[in-house]
Amino acid sequence: MDRINLDRLRRAFIDRHFGWCVSLYMPTHRAGKETEQDPIRFKNLLRQAQERLQAKDMRSAQIQDLFNAPQRLLQDQSFWRKQSDGLAVFFSEDTLEFFRVPIDFPELIVVSDRFHAKPLLRQLTSDGTFHILAVSQNQLRLLAGTRDTVDEIELEDVPLNLSEAFPEGIPEKQLQFHTGTRSTSGGKRAAVFHGHELGNETKNRIRQWFRRVDKSLRDLLPEGSSPLVLAAVDNLFPLYKEVNTYPFLMDEGIPGNPERMKPDELHQKAWAIVEPVFKQEREDGAARYRQLAGTGQTTAEVTEAVLAALHGRIELVFVPVGVQVWGRLDPEAQTVDLHKSHEPGDEDILDFTAIQTLLTGGRVYAVSPEEVPDQAPLAAVLRY
């Protein structure tokens, strides 16, 4: 799964791009024969996008130049071997961005003056993703989850077990482990750490390792408030919490040896921990909106909300999934023209409001239309 950070978001969705912007969404597959169909599907979407640009009277030479980068992506076999459940690709004459995410997108092509972000909102918003850190002395894994999916994230530049962290070893009197037994091939098995009763030296070494893990996670985890659930045996919980600096580590964790747990089992246990947190955050946001209604610190007007988002004034906003509000924003003139249907040069104003809010540190809740407070077109709490 690709890390979605603020720099990539800004490049794709906020920065103005030269010429037409093409947004492609499609389902993909992680394994099996279906993976062979993914590049074919992408090729067909590229062809349809080319036809749309031809209908907009774009010259053939310009179209060819525009599609050079995505065509190279099409031919990259290693790219297609590393897919998640959905692929989003954004390209214009001056940029190419793609995100492989655990969302089963329906096929979608949007050709406009800006890239179209709405299908990604569930992945980007405050209740979009969570992470699981499964750690034992013998194995370290990081997984990213949504309500329905889980992906293992490749960890780099961090030891994946205690032996890698300290290849010189730890004094044997500090450890409980068995070694020296014969494997079926006749050689000695590697040491297997149990660690039911950890000595002081072992605890200190584990803390050192965990500090390196914590630093790696702070660099790796996306900006925002993605909850982190720790899965570990009981005696490792307090050691990790001592060194943790990630502000959204959950108090509750998954007990037991995670080496014996498959990703689906870890996902199920972690979702039971984070789902009430996500639900409570949405309820608190809606309650704050209703509490401040009538004070001038909220708005349900699309025009006011988009201008507030432009200036970083939105603290939190509820936007309806599957709903578009078309119009044109002129940042210099500070004007917004809304239209009943899509017109040339229009963009989805709700889309822009949500992304701009995320980029300025606000919270976005992408919900069904009936879950927006007062069932308004949107509902925003303003910082001032």
Side-chain angles (χ1 to χ4, degrees), residues 132-136 139 141 143 229-233 236-237 249 252-259 261 266:
I132 307 165
L133 182 65
V135 59
S136 70
Q139 186 183 64
R141 288 183 290 166
L143 302 98
V229 179
L230 183 64
V233 293
L236 294 184
F237 273 96
L249 176 67
E252 183 181 356
I254 301 172
N257 187 349
E259 295 174 38
M261 300 182 195
L266 287 168

Side-chain angles (χ1 to χ4, degrees), residues 45-295:
L45 290 177
L46 290 179
R47 177 181 51 79
Q48 294 174 46
Q50 288 175 330
E51 292 172 353
R52 294 194 186 186
L53 289 169
Q54 289 170 350
K56 296 179 181 294
D57 296 325
M58 189 174 185
R59 290 187 294 111
S60 297
Q62 288 180 298
I63 293 176
Q64 183 175 349
D65 289 342
L66 174 61
F67 280 76
N68 281 336
Q71 287 288 352
R72 286 194 295 270
L73 203 62
L74 175 63
Q75 303 301 325
D76 186 350
Q77 295 182 5
S78 64
F79 172 79
W80 295 103
R81 287 195 294 267
K82 300 176 182 178
Q83 294 299 316
S84 184
D85 299 300
L87 173 66
V89 179
F90 310 96
F91 61 95
S92 66
E93 292 185 30
D94 60 358
T95 191
L96 169 70
E97 290 285 347
F98 60 82
F99 301 97
R100 293 168 289 196
V101 296
I103 302 175
D104 187 10
F105 296 124
E107 287 188 8
L108 178 66
I109 304 171
V110 178
V111 179
S112 183
D113 289 348
R114 286 185 184 271
F115 293 121
H116 182 67
K118 184 66 67 61
L120 270 179
L121 278 184
R122 288 281 192 184
Q123 182 75 10
L124 301 172
T125 53
S126 297
D127 58 354
T129 60
F130 61 93
H131 289 81
I132 307 165
L133 182 65
V135 59
S136 70
Q137 295 184 41
N138 302 301
Q139 186 183 64
L140 175 70
R141 288 183 290 166
L142 179 66
L143 302 98
T146 66
R147 176 190 295 270
D148 303 310
T149 63
V150 65
D151 263 314
E152 189 156 347
I153 298 176
E154 184 176 351
L155 291 170
E156 299 178 354
D157 302 323
V158 61
L160 298 181
N161 54 56
L162 193 59
S163 295
E164 282 188 22
F166 298 98
E168 73 279 6
I170 301 175
E172 290 189 8
K173 65 181 180 179
Q174 296 289 347
L175 296 171
Q176 290 190 15
F177 65 93
H178 62 75
T179 187
T181 57
R182 293 285 172 181
S183 68
T184 55
S185 60
K188 283 190 176 183
R189 290 179 177 146
V192 178
F193 301 104
H194 294 293
H196 297 295
E197 295 178 4
L198 302 176
N200 289 332
E201 179 62 25
T202 302
K203 289 181 180 179
N204 289 335
R205 296 294 180 94
I206 291 174
R207 289 188 188 98
Q208 293 177 48
W209 175 36
F210 283 172
R211 288 189 184 96
R212 295 175 66 179
V213 174
D214 175 69
K215 182 180 184 303
S216 179
L217 291 186
R218 291 301 302 266
D219 294 337
L220 184 64
L221 292 184
E223 295 87 348
S225 56
S226 174
L228 176 63
V229 179
L230 183 64
V233 293
D234 289 345
N235 57 14
L236 294 184
F237 273 96
L239 295 180
Y240 191 84
K241 290 183 176 181
E242 279 182 37
V243 305
N244 172 69
T245 62
Y246 184 70
F248 304 106
L249 176 67
M250 296 290 98
D251 290 332
E252 183 181 356
I254 301 172
N257 187 349
E259 295 174 38
R260 303 190 182 102
M261 300 182 195
K262 295 181 178 180
D264 287 345
E265 182 180 358
L266 287 168
H267 175 265
Q268 181 181 12
K269 293 177 181 292
W271 179 249
I273 295 171
V274 300
E275 182 183 22
V277 176
F278 289 150
K279 182 179 179 182
Q280 187 61 53
E281 285 181 356
R282 290 195 300 273
E283 291 177 352
D284 290 348
R288 180 162 174 76
Y289 173 83
R290 295 189 176 99
Q291 179 184 14
L292 294 173
T295 66

Side-chain angles (χ1 to χ4, degrees), residues 363-378:
R363 285 175 288 157
V364 176
Y365 299 106
V367 298
S368 61
E370 59 271 16
E371 291 179 294
V372 177
D374 302 332
Q375 297 189 8
L378 56 69

